[in-house]
């Protein structure tokens, strides 16, 4: 058990090792790493590359079709998550994906359904790290978005959720919108859960992230002004949302 002071209602009891744990220390309690399968970092051993790649952590809260996800070629691994409390909950990690695989992962997300409302789950996104993809640049990009844009992109850092607070200079940990602690990627914890009800926002979210990634790649650090990042972010979000809406409308007419 970690040193956080929590009431008994906030703690979980592990039937495998007879220890208590909380959502913050699940990975550290005795049997956390004995679940099947062992988590494999999909980026480990891959060279750092310039082209944009993205990966999703898809948390599914409650009973669902595990075989559909486990057997999909874009899913690299899965494991329990201490922040999910319903029976059958799991977190799935995707392979690193390029833009050419966006349609395939969206079609998978469209098929995810659970027996709960999924309010506790998240859909964190990882993007490929380079020297020009700094958390401070991304802070100003996310800070520039308004509530309507965030909702359309399935982002929730403007809400009161504790799991993805957007704070200038705070880019480390499990409760930040931008987590800069990974070796190969930057993690964006702002994204809400990905399932059949939110799948329509995935195209816009990934296209927005791609557009901003390419924008940052053009300018060495620190050759960008805050106002330019904020302006580009609003434009990129509007374009991504509009393009995704048009594409969705076209699919529905077919």
């Amino acid at each position: 058990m970690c040193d956080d002071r929590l009431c008994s209602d906030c703690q979980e009891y592990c039937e495998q090792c007879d220890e208590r744990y909380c959502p913050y220390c699940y990975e550290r309690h005795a049997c956390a790493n004995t679940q099947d399968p062992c988590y494999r970092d999909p980026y480990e051993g891959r060279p750092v590359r310039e082209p944009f790649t993205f990966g999703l952590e898809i948390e599914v809260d409650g009973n669902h079709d595990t075989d559909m996800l486990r057997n999909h070629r874009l899913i690299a691994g899965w494991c329990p998550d201490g922040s999910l409390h319903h029976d059958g909950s799991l977190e799935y990690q995707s392979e690193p994906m390029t833009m050419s695989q966006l349609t395939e992962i969206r079609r998978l997300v469209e098929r995810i359904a659970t027996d709960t409302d999924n309010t506790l789950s998240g859909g964190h996104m990882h993007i490929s790290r380079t020297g020009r993809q700094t958390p401070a640049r991304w802070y100003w990009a996310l800070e520039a978005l308004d509530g309507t844009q965030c909702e359309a992109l399935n982002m929730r850092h403007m809400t009161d959720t504790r799991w993805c607070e957007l704070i200038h200079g705070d880019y480390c940990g499990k409760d930040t919108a931008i987590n800069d602690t990974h070796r190969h990627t930057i993690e964006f914890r702002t994204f809400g859960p990905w399932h059949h009800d939110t799948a329509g926002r995935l195209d816009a979210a990934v296209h927005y992230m791609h557009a901003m990634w390419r924008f940052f790649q053009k300018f060495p650090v620190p050759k960008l002004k805050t106002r330019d990042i904020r302006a580009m972010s609003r434009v990129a979000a509007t374009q991504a949302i509009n393009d995704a809406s048009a594409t969705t409308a076209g699919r529905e007419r077919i």
Side-chain angles (χ1 to χ4, degrees), residues 9 66 142 161 186 192 200 206 230 232 249:
D9 290 341
T66 58
L142 297 188
T161 180
I186 300 178
V206 174
R230 298 180 81 254
M232 177 61 186

Side-chain angles (χ1 to χ4, degrees), residues 64-120:
H64 59 282
D65 188 346
T66 58
D67 288 340
M68 176 189 71
L69 287 159
R70 290 177 177 179
N71 295 328
H72 197 278
R73 74 184 193 92
L74 291 181
I75 298 300
W78 57 89
C79 61
D81 188 290
S83 66
L84 305 177
H85 301 291
H86 291 102
D87 291 340
S89 299
L90 285 173
E91 174 194 297
Y92 299 85
Q93 303 89 26
S94 79
E95 296 280 0
M97 295 174 286
T98 65
M99 294 299 290
S100 65
Q101 294 164 302
L102 176 54
T103 297
E104 186 177 3
I105 192 65
R106 174 180 45 77
R107 287 174 177 169
L108 175 62
V109 169
E110 288 173 343
R111 298 166 60 193
I112 299 175
T114 72
D115 55 2
T116 70
D117 58 11
N118 253 295
T119 55
L120 295 177

Side-chain angles (χ1 to χ4, degrees), residues 129 133-136 170-173 176-183 185-187:
R129 174 188 290 281
Q133 304 298 323
T134 69
D170 185 2
Y171 312 125
C172 176
T176 60
I178 305 168
N179 182 13
D180 193 39
T181 62
H182 298 281
R183 179 181 177 187
T185 66
I186 300 178
E187 177 188 15

Side-chain angles (χ1 to χ4, degrees), residues 7-251:
C7 67
S8 59
D9 290 341
C10 297
Q11 300 174 2
E12 296 291 328
Y13 176 77
C14 180
E15 296 181 354
Q16 294 185 353
C17 64
D18 294 327
E19 296 288 340
R20 290 191 177 277
Y21 64 90
C22 74
Y24 309 106
C25 69
Y26 175 80
E27 292 83 0
R28 287 182 281 155
H29 95 275
C31 68
N33 295 319
T34 63
Q35 305 293 336
D36 182 30
C38 293
Y39 171 67
R40 176 179 65 85
D41 180 356
Y43 286 85
E44 193 63 38
R46 292 173 180 248
V48 177
R49 297 174 297 176
E50 286 295 301
F52 174 82
T53 60
F54 71 99
L56 297 181
E57 295 178 16
I58 304 173
E59 297 176 358
V60 186
D61 196 14
N63 292 313
H64 59 282
D65 188 346
T66 58
D67 288 340
M68 176 189 71
L69 287 159
R70 290 177 177 179
N71 295 328
H72 197 278
R73 74 184 193 92
L74 291 181
I75 298 300
W78 57 89
C79 61
D81 188 290
S83 66
L84 305 177
H85 301 291
H86 291 102
D87 291 340
S89 299
L90 285 173
E91 174 194 297
Y92 299 85
Q93 303 89 26
S94 79
E95 296 280 0
M97 295 174 286
T98 65
M99 294 299 290
S100 65
Q101 294 164 302
L102 176 54
T103 297
E104 186 177 3
I105 192 65
R106 174 180 45 77
R107 287 174 177 169
L108 175 62
V109 169
E110 288 173 343
R111 298 166 60 193
I112 299 175
T114 72
D115 55 2
T116 70
D117 58 11
N118 253 295
T119 55
L120 295 177
S121 56
H124 311 154
M125 186 183 299
H126 291 249
I127 63 169
S128 47
R129 174 188 290 281
T130 76
R132 300 186 181 188
Q133 304 298 323
T134 69
R137 284 181 162 188
W138 279 101
Y139 167 84
W140 291 115
L142 297 188
E143 187 271 343
L145 302 176
D146 61 31
T148 300
Q149 290 173 321
C150 285
E151 182 177 1
L153 297 172
N154 200 30
M155 293 184 180
R156 54 187 183 176
H157 59 267
M158 291 191 68
T159 68
D160 59 358
T161 180
R162 58 174 294 184
W163 299 110
C164 55
E165 294 182 276
L166 183 63
I167 301 174
H168 191 219
D170 185 2
Y171 312 125
C172 176
K174 297 292 188 179
D175 55 358
T176 60
I178 305 168
N179 182 13
D180 193 39
T181 62
H182 298 281
R183 179 181 177 187
H184 301 291
T185 66
I186 300 178
E187 177 188 15
F188 293 84
R189 299 177 58 82
T190 176
F191 291 101
W194 297 112
H195 49 71
H196 66 291
D197 290 334
T198 61
R201 306 175 198 172
L202 184 57
D203 282 12
V206 174
H207 278 286
Y208 165 78
M209 300 296 288
H210 185 211
M212 291 307 299
W213 190 93
R214 289 186 300 170
F215 176 67
F216 291 144
Q217 284 298 102
K218 294 177 182 178
F219 300 95
V221 177
K223 298 293 185 180
L224 272 176
K225 297 184 181 298
T226 297
R227 67 171 181 268
D228 296 329
I229 295 175
R230 298 180 81 254
M232 177 61 186
S233 179
R234 289 189 290 265
V235 171
T238 298
Q239 187 67 52
I241 293 165
N242 289 344
D243 287 350
S245 296
T247 300
T248 299
R251 286 199 301 266

